[in-house]
Amino acid sequence: MSVPIYIVDAFTEHAFGGNPAAVCLLEQPASEEFMARTAAEMNLSETAFLWPENGGYRLRWFTPAAEVKLCGHATLASAHTLWETGRLPREKRAEFHTLSGLLTAEQSEGGITLCFPAYELIPAETIPGLGAALGTEEGDIKEVFFYADNALVRLRDESAVRSLSPDFAALKSLPPRAVAVTAEGGGEGIDFVSRFFAPGIGVNEDPVTGSAHTALTPFWAERLKRLELTAYQASRRGGILKLKLSEDKVFLTGQAVTVVSGLFHARP
């Protein structure tokens, strides 16, 4: 049996930028074994699996090592693929049934706009060993918060974020499943920068992490006193996100480009 599969670069307007995600289009539910093994075979930070359900689509995301409850770039890639392949009319909103509830995507002036729930931020003490694991001085850490089972860490400035060289084995041994590291932006038009590390689920550094920005957006909206923000994720590939906070929702806008299309020859 052949399954259509695509590789899409998300949160970028050109190929080989942003964050690549595989998108696997199914006609019916697949086994977890198939999804896990397919994601491991694709070896990207996320592989998305979609099939029709309740007037929209069931959407599940797998890293090469684990299923995750929320993923931004693979959701953006999924919506892009549905419109690009004609499975969904461009004027129609994409609706996804996920482990994080109903998520939506719409065509917008800036590309594709996702509507995600905002994460609750819980203040925390500095995590012992975190500075060393990240490759920075403990004094560079200005604030630490938990959101879900991840940590959000604010560093002193943008250069401290960009210069990080983590010890991924040490980082994997710490309590948070993943760590989003951030600082106020020093460049024109960029409100804040970030990087995202998740060695515990098989992704040492994620190029552009939409889900992390559902915590970063309320964090920086409070500090910068603005509800609309522009963010840059300072990974090697890099990516720009346009963000808007509205009550308990975060709207993330970005672009996407299909770079590979083909057939996966395996039984779902």
Side-chain angles (χ1 to χ4, degrees):
M1 183 178 294
S2 298
V3 176
I5 195 161
Y6 303 83
I7 297 177
V8 177
D9 289 344
F11 293 114
T12 180
E13 59 184 15
H14 57 82
F16 314 121
N19 199 353
V23 179
C24 191
L25 299 178
L26 301 162
E27 297 301 321
Q28 58 191 16
S31 69
E32 291 199 359
E33 180 186 11
F34 169 81
M35 291 186 284
R37 295 182 71 175
T38 300
E41 184 76 11
M42 297 308 295
N43 200 33
L44 297 171
S45 61
E46 301 286 349
T47 298
F49 298 87
L50 295 136
W51 58 86
E53 182 176 298
N54 294 334
Y57 290 85
R58 172 59 56 179
L59 174 57
R60 295 176 70 174
W61 312 277
F62 285 74
T63 77
E67 183 173 12
V68 299
K69 293 183 178 180
L70 186 66
C71 178
H73 84 280
T75 304
L76 189 147
S78 296
H80 167 84
T81 301
L82 290 175
W83 289 316
E84 286 289 303
T85 60
R87 286 171 170 77
L88 193 67
R90 288 187 175 273
E91 66 276 8
K92 188 171 181 181
R93 183 175 76 168
E95 297 186 346
F96 301 112
H97 305 286
T98 79
L99 292 177
S100 293
L102 179 66
L103 307 178
T104 64
E106 297 182 85
Q107 296 275 352
S108 63
E109 184 176 343
I112 297 171
T113 298
L114 309 176
C115 178
F116 276 24
Y119 274 116
E120 178 186 4
L121 294 165
I122 302 171
E125 297 294 330
T126 298
I127 300 165
L130 179 61
L134 288 172
T136 192
E137 299 293 331
E138 294 288 348
D140 288 342
I141 297 175
K142 300 304 179 185
E143 294 181 274
V144 179
F145 286 79
F146 284 111
Y147 68 96
D149 48 2
N150 307 315
L152 186 159
V153 180
R154 181 184 182 181
L155 297 187
R156 57 176 169 80
D157 58 26
E158 181 175 338
S159 66
V161 173
R162 289 180 177 271
S163 64
L164 292 177
S165 182
D167 177 338
F168 292 114
L171 202 58
K172 185 177 180 179
S173 71
L174 297 180
R177 186 199 64 155
V179 180
V181 183
T182 189
E184 188 170 352
E188 184 176 352
I190 301 297
D191 295 299
F192 66 89
V193 299
S194 69
R195 292 173 68 184
F196 188 84
F197 308 112
I201 55 172
V203 182
N204 281 348
E205 179 168 6
D206 196 34
V208 190
T209 314
S211 61
H213 286 80
T214 61
L216 290 163
T217 300
F219 178 86
W220 283 110
E222 180 180 351
R223 283 151 184 79
L224 299 177
K225 308 303 180 187
R226 293 172 52 208
L227 298 179
E228 297 189 24
L229 303 162
T230 299
Y232 179 70
Q233 190 153 331
S235 65
R236 181 178 60 82
R237 293 172 66 104
I240 296 285
L241 303 93
K242 298 289 187 178
L243 306 161
K244 180 180 179 180
L245 180 65
S246 180
E247 297 180 348
D248 61 347
K249 301 292 185 183
V250 174
F251 294 88
L252 308 91
T253 299
Q255 300 184 20
V257 180
T258 302
V259 292
V260 175
S261 61
L263 297 174
F264 194 82
H265 298 290
R267 184 175 296 277

